[in-house]
Amino acid sequence: EDKVVQSPLSLVVHEGDTVTLNCSYEVTNFRSLLWYKQEKKAPTFLFMLTSSGIEKKSGRLSSILDKKELFSILNITATQTGDSAVYLCAVRKTGGTSYGKLTFGQGTILTVHP
Amino acid sequence: GAVVSQHPSRVICKSGTSVKIECRSLDFQATTMFWYRQFPKQSLMLMATSNEGSKATYEQGVEKDKFLINHASLTLSTLTVTSAHPEDSSFYICSGGWGPGETQYFGPGTRLLVL
């Protein structure tokens, strides 16, 4: 059975702190790993990672994938209260009837205090 | 990024009624859309894969006769919760992309409350 496990499950920090969110996975026919940010509504896309060792960056957020060790991290530097959200990691498979399906981790709840 | 809309955003209904939720891709054609359900404080669980012009593929444990999916065009998929019960109360989210292997963009979700 496919598994996507995120840690920590929740994190409370102060503005300006740097956080690292973890996502490990065990899936057959891995294609890509995606990070999403979910506030009160549906998730918004952050990154899609398909190759090991290549960092993706967007402002204060960055992410990297290690396909050998089967994990990814999402870093947020100089956190702001607006970063408070649930961060979801999802893995997409390839091939057969599983093509395109996303398996989500349980999410990390990040709370940033002023 | 691509825009996906859902309607309605929120619905309250009585137990035993059916509720239809629409998912539209506004600026692209989605041959495949996915339907998810999210209970409070839990992650998204895939319910079914909706393919334009063919039958949906349901995940294990999801009743296809209860959750009817229709993908009649490249821009519209509908999910009908038939004979809804309180345990069906949840947040229903659809996603679509240019292809199943591409980045999936989520609709804003529909919050269903069954009394």
Side-chain angles (χ1 to χ4, degrees), chain A:
Chain A
E1 187 182 334
D2 298 332
K3 283 185 191 174
V4 180
V5 177
Q6 291 184 245
S7 64
L9 292 181
S10 67
L11 192 53
V12 179
V13 299
H14 289 281
E15 273 192 319
D17 290 348
T18 293
V19 297
T20 298
L21 310 183
N22 303 292
C23 176
S24 63
Y25 61 91
E26 290 178 33
V27 301
T28 53
N29 303 319
F30 173 88
R31 177 184 172 91
S32 56
L33 185 145
L34 296 89
W35 284 97
Y36 288 89
K37 176 182 181 182
Q38 186 176 26
E39 295 172 268
K40 296 206 172 156
K41 291 196 172 179
T44 53
F45 172 75
L46 295 176
F47 299 111
M48 181 168 74
L49 304 154
T50 54
S51 302
S52 271
I54 299 174
E55 185 183 52
K56 294 234 173 162
K57 204 167 167 64
S58 175
R60 297 177 293 103
L61 277 67
S62 63
S63 184
I64 198 161
L65 174 67
D66 186 328
K67 290 168 75 173
K68 184 179 174 187
E69 300 296 330
L70 308 183
F71 78 92
S72 173
I73 60 172
L74 174 68
N75 278 321
I76 308 175
T77 59
T79 52
Q80 302 171 358
T81 55
D83 295 326
S84 296
V86 177
Y87 289 84
L88 295 167
C89 167
V91 171
R92 174 182 288 125
K93 299 175 63 154
T94 185
T97 57
S98 298
Y99 188 50
K101 295 189 333 185
L102 293 178
T103 301
F104 280 85
Q106 66 273 61
T108 294
I109 303 171
L110 174 64
T111 305
V112 182
H113 288 309

Side-chain angles (χ1 to χ4, degrees), chain B residues 19 25 27 53 65 69 81 95 100-101 104:
Chain B
V19 174
S25 55
D27 52 1
D65 294 329
I69 291 173
V81 183
S95 74
Q104 291 291 308

Side-chain angles (χ1 to χ4, degrees), chain B residues 6-72:
Chain B
Q6 270 183 252
H7 178 80
S9 59
R10 185 183 297 265
V11 59
I12 301 173
C13 69
K14 291 183 179 178
S15 186
T17 58
S18 294
V19 174
K20 181 189 275 189
I21 302 169
E22 291 186 349
C23 176
R24 291 182 186 272
S25 55
L26 297 184
D27 52 1
F28 66 98
Q29 293 184 327
T31 51
T32 302
M33 287 185 172
F34 298 92
W35 285 95
Y36 296 86
R37 181 167 51 181
Q38 186 177 35
F39 291 107
K41 301 198 177 180
Q42 293 187 27
S43 193
L44 279 75
M45 296 297 294
L46 179 66
M47 297 175 68
T49 303
S50 168
N51 301 296
E52 188 267 335
S54 65
K55 289 183 180 178
T57 304
Y58 290 82
E59 294 301 297
Q60 197 171 11
V62 178
E63 298 173 59
K64 62 180 181 182
D65 294 329
K66 182 170 182 61
F67 298 100
L68 301 177
I69 291 173
N70 184 282
H71 195 151

